[in-house]
Amino acid sequence: MRDHNDVSQIQSLKGFGWKIKVPYKLIDTISQETSIYYKHWKKKKLNPDKTPKKVNGEIQYRPICESTGILKLIQKRINTVFLKKFPLPPCTLGGVSPYTNKDNAKMHQGKKFHFQTDMKDFFPTISNKMIFDMLVANNFNPPLSSLITRLVSLEGELPQGTPTSTSIANLVFAPICNKILKICERQSITFTQWVDDLNFSSQKEFHFLIPTILDLITDFGLRINHRKTYYKIGSISVTGLIAKNNTLLIPDDLYKRKDDITIPEKTRVGIRNYIDSVLSNN
């Protein structure tokens, strides 16, 4: 549950500084020039077993805007003191402790009909206006919402790679999640959100609801990755695991890698440990 006092007791910007234990004057100065506190680099995309993700043999990368120094400290405290305490829809699992990709996949076991979609460029598509509106909706006053928005956004977007990125993305998307969840509950559909990855499953046919679900997302200003959007009957891969009947299965390509001598031994040990952890929880 949300601790309303963390927000409602803040009557001024200085009070915000006191709450996160950083002087307001320093916060205000940093908020005017946040770009100097970021470093940009590319991070390998990883499979759930922590091995690099490849497409057509090419390792995939995602651009990272990592905050540094005092800005990173401020973001960590904003996340801990405020954002992590705000409620999220029960379908939101990605980036939420203690849930793992296995928990997400388990939700879709034993279902006949599946629909998956992915939000393209999820983080940078979240604008500073979306962030501001989310903060106001969570009872921050406008001046404080404006200050926090400056502290957690970069060039009008939500950067990927900061302590606040996933929490803010989840909170911004929460109203759409709740609308989708209501539709799914009426139709006995299981729905989970794993950051930008949305999964739906049911024992009943529900393809007729797909346009409504996608319209809710795009009307909000987010984009769909049509290459990763499909409807399927039968078992399906959910966050790197195959959800089938009442068990989780390891994809064949991953299972083969555990004994691949061309892969470093440390990596193979990690793969085997991951496989054991999945199978032991079935």
Side-chain angles (χ1 to χ4, degrees), residues 122-138:
F122 184 42
F123 288 88
T125 304
I126 294 176
S127 66
N128 52 4
K129 181 181 185 305
M130 291 178 181
I131 298 170
F132 176 85
D133 290 344
M134 176 275 290
L135 293 168
V136 170
N138 279 283

Side-chain angles (χ1 to χ4, degrees), residues 3 9 38-39 66 94 111 115-116 120 136 142 144 162-163 219 225 234 236 245 250 259 262 273 278 282:
D3 183 356
Q9 288 185 358
Y38 283 93
K39 59 181 181 180
E66 182 184 358
K111 307 293 176 59
F115 172 60
Q116 289 185 337
K120 187 176 182 181
V136 170
L144 187 51
T162 75
D219 288 349
N225 187 339
I236 195 169
N245 298 327
I250 304 296
D259 297 317
T262 65
N273 289 339
V278 172
N282 275 333

Side-chain angles (χ1 to χ4, degrees), residues 120-127 157-161 165-166 169 195-196:
K120 187 176 182 181
D121 300 324
F122 184 42
F123 288 88
T125 304
I126 294 176
S127 66
E157 300 175 351
L158 178 64
Q160 184 170 2
S165 295
T166 301
V195 192
D196 57 355

Side-chain angles (χ1 to χ4, degrees), residues 1 12-13 20 36 42 46 50 89 92 97 122-123 144 153 159 161 172 175 179 193 211 233 247 255 259 268 280:
M1 293 295 291
S12 66
L13 298 177
I20 65 169
I36 66 174
K42 291 183 178 181
L46 299 178
K50 308 304 180 185
T92 301
S97 181
F122 184 42
F123 288 88
L144 187 51
S153 62
V172 165
K179 290 180 180 180
Q193 177 207 355
I233 299 174
T247 187
Y255 201 82
D259 297 317
R268 280 182 281 152
S280 65

Side-chain angles (χ1 to χ4, degrees), residues 7-19 24 141 143-144 147:
V7 176
S8 62
Q9 288 185 358
I10 297 176
Q11 302 298 323
S12 66
L13 298 177
K14 289 183 179 180
F16 169 71
W18 174 84
K19 195 70 179 178
Y24 166 67
N141 62 44
L144 187 51
L147 174 64

Side-chain angles (χ1 to χ4, degrees), residues 180-191 200 213:
I180 294 173
L181 193 58
K182 287 181 180 179
I183 294 172
C184 291
E185 287 174 343
R186 289 196 296 266
Q187 300 290 333
S188 299
I189 299 168
T190 298
F191 163 48
F200 305 79
I213 291 169

